[in-house]
Amino acid sequence: FYQQWWPHLFIDCHTTDGSIHGYDLTFDTSRNNTHLFPRVQKASHRLLARVCKRVEKRTGFRGQWYGNFPQEESPDSGWQTYPPLPRFGSHYRGLLGRLDVLLETYSYIPFERRCQVIYAYLEELLRTAAKRADDLKQACEGDLQAVLHRGKVSHPRALVGIQHGVAHRTADGSLTFRYPTLSLGDTIGIRSFDVESLKARAYPGKEPRLYEKLPHLRHTLPQVSVETPSAYLVTAPGAVADRLSQHGIGFERLEADWTVEVESYAVLAMEKTFSPDVAAAVPPPGQAEVPLSARPPPVRFETVLSVRSERRTATFPKGTLVVRTSQRSGTLAVYLLEPHGDDSLARWEAFDAHVQVGAYFPVHRLPHGGAVPPRTTVE
């Protein structure tokens, strides 16, 4: 649906039961690689700030940027957004350079009020977007041209952050990841209640409080970043061709063998980690998910690869996929095809049958300024 419509603005409606606060609705937008989409980011923030003020003026419903207290019983710990992983829809759509809005009504308020507040926000969002349609479309078009340009010309300063998790070992030696957020000097005021009410998770609390100048923890710094290559060469096409198509990423196939200099990844290590924030094991089509509360709980693992980049000359056989990055989903293609990304196709086990420690990963980078792929068949 998303690839077919390719909307300028996508609104994602949810309900949250997180920290105790004094708002009817919280909202957010994409937080992944925001430096690559400055026009869309600016337009999104202006849109949400304007809508929030107008809704409160018209209806009295209070809204604020989405977040939770990192330490539930200590509101001074800050106001923290959720991890920047593109498995979350807003961050995914942000990688495509489109405007995205996340709306989270508050589960502690009555259901009727939740319905009223979500309608108020949707109405105001649509009204404002219609009035400012030209500006919003220009923001999307400007960032789209930047995506296309990065696929054609080297941009060493416009790196794509592909890994945001900080690795840790549990007591039993298992690999796990944390996703720290930073304020970078940003502060925010949050309406909530007295600390005793927060400790008791009581809503509404006894005494309303405004916690001012809290660190607004909404920025992330990638642990690993890469430059956008001109293209990727995939020597295991059966593993990912369908997935690329589902993501709207175009590709071609070599019509003959081709020898060329590329950047390849030597696989140094391969291990598994538990998936955070996944509600359940992925069910077969047509079957219901199994919630994490089930006993025994479902288990879902991800593949974590450690790699080293090497420049070499290699021969690629007929049928190898050529994924050019100068396309509208070019930044997403980088995120999905790099082996050590935190939401790459490799992370989601797509390449497990094609990876061997000590061998090269079956996706290779074609540097800018190098050879141009010969005759190909477009798919």
Side-chain angles (χ1 to χ4, degrees):
F1 171 86
Y2 190 86
Q3 296 299 336
Q4 181 177 347
W5 281 76
W6 198 243
H8 292 93
L9 172 64
F10 192 100
I11 305 171
D12 198 357
C13 302
H14 288 258
T15 297
T16 181
D17 61 352
S19 294
I20 303 296
H21 59 65
Y23 299 100
D24 298 291
L25 178 145
T26 49
F27 50 81
D28 213 334
T29 188
S30 176
R31 301 290 177 194
N32 189 296
N33 279 282
T34 55
H35 64 290
L36 297 179
F37 304 98
R39 301 169 186 84
V40 166
Q41 281 289 308
K42 184 177 182 179
S44 297
H45 282 70
R46 284 184 171 179
L47 174 66
L48 285 168
R50 178 183 295 271
V51 167
C52 179
K53 289 181 180 179
R54 292 183 69 87
V55 168
E56 183 167 356
K57 182 178 180 180
R58 289 187 176 189
T59 67
F61 294 133
R62 287 176 173 171
Q64 183 57 280
W65 290 99
Y66 174 83
N68 291 286
F69 300 122
Q71 301 173 31
E72 293 294 344
E73 299 178 0
S74 178
D76 292 335
S77 60
W79 191 244
Q80 183 179 47
T81 191
Y82 62 111
L85 300 170
R87 67 188 66 183
F88 300 119
S90 285
H91 301 323
Y92 173 88
R93 291 182 288 272
L95 283 174
L96 296 170
R98 314 302 274 181
L99 294 151
D100 195 273
V101 171
L102 170 69
L103 300 179
E104 295 269 4
T105 57
Y106 200 36
S107 67
Y108 294 91
I109 65 177
F111 178 73
E112 181 178 6
R113 188 174 179 89
R114 296 208 305 267
C115 293
Q116 292 169 346
V117 69
I118 198 71
Y119 275 116
Y121 263 82
L122 289 172
E123 182 181 12
E124 193 60 46
L125 276 165
L126 296 176
R127 179 186 292 114
T128 304
K131 288 182 178 179
R132 299 181 173 274
D134 290 342
D135 292 340
L136 299 182
K137 288 190 289 186
Q138 287 176 10
C140 291
E141 179 61 25
D143 281 349
L144 170 60
Q145 292 304 315
V147 171
L148 300 178
H149 197 258
R150 285 194 294 272
K152 294 178 179 179
V153 181
S154 177
H155 285 266
R157 293 186 178 180
L159 301 181
V160 180
I162 59 168
Q163 186 183 114
H164 294 81
V166 177
H168 294 268
R169 294 287 176 182
T170 61
D172 64 1
S174 299
L175 179 64
T176 186
F177 289 85
R178 299 172 188 167
Y179 297 88
T181 52
L182 305 172
S183 70
L184 300 183
D186 292 352
T187 60
I188 190 171
I190 297 296
R191 295 180 182 273
S192 185
F193 302 94
D194 57 286
V195 173
E196 291 303 316
S197 295
L198 298 183
K199 291 181 179 179
R201 293 197 65 80
Y203 182 89
K206 293 180 180 179
E207 299 179 17
R209 294 280 178 84
L210 174 61
Y211 297 96
E212 299 184 90
K213 296 184 178 180
L214 300 182
H216 195 181
L217 306 169
R218 59 178 175 174
H219 302 283
T220 58
L221 296 179
Q223 304 299 306
V224 178
S225 299
V226 298
E227 184 182 358
T228 301
S230 66
Y232 288 95
L233 301 176
V234 183
T235 56
V240 295
D242 288 344
R243 298 198 189 201
L244 293 174
S245 295
Q246 290 164 3
H247 285 286
I249 297 172
F251 57 85
E252 307 155 36
R253 294 182 189 264
L254 292 179
E255 293 185 357
D257 294 355
W258 184 38
T259 300
V260 65
E261 185 179 59
V262 294
E263 296 171 350
S264 298
Y265 288 108
V267 179
L268 306 179
M270 177 181 180
E271 59 183 313
K272 297 290 185 175
T273 187
F274 182 74
S275 296
D277 299 301
V278 175
V282 177
Q287 295 186 22
E289 289 186 356
V290 180
L292 284 177
S293 58
R295 292 293 179 267
V299 177
R300 171 70 179 177
F301 284 90
E302 300 173 14
T303 299
V304 179
L305 298 179
S306 298
V307 297
R308 180 185 64 243
S309 177
E310 299 180 1
R311 186 70 70 98
R312 69 192 188 102
T313 299
T315 298
F316 295 89
K318 175 183 177 180
T320 295
L321 296 190
V322 179
V323 184
R324 302 179 192 271
T325 57
S326 184
Q327 57 177 299
R328 70 184 190 182
S329 300
T331 305
L332 176 64
V334 174
Y335 216 105
L336 293 180
L337 291 174
E338 291 287 329
H340 45 325
D342 49 24
D343 254 340
S344 64
L345 293 176
R347 185 67 169 260
W348 286 99
E349 303 178 320
F351 287 104
D352 276 14
H354 305 274
V355 172
Q356 181 179 348
V357 175
Y360 290 112
F361 185 70
V363 177
H364 310 263
R365 294 166 52 92
L366 188 63
H368 288 286
V372 177
R375 186 176 177 181
T376 57
T377 301
V378 177
E379 294 192 15

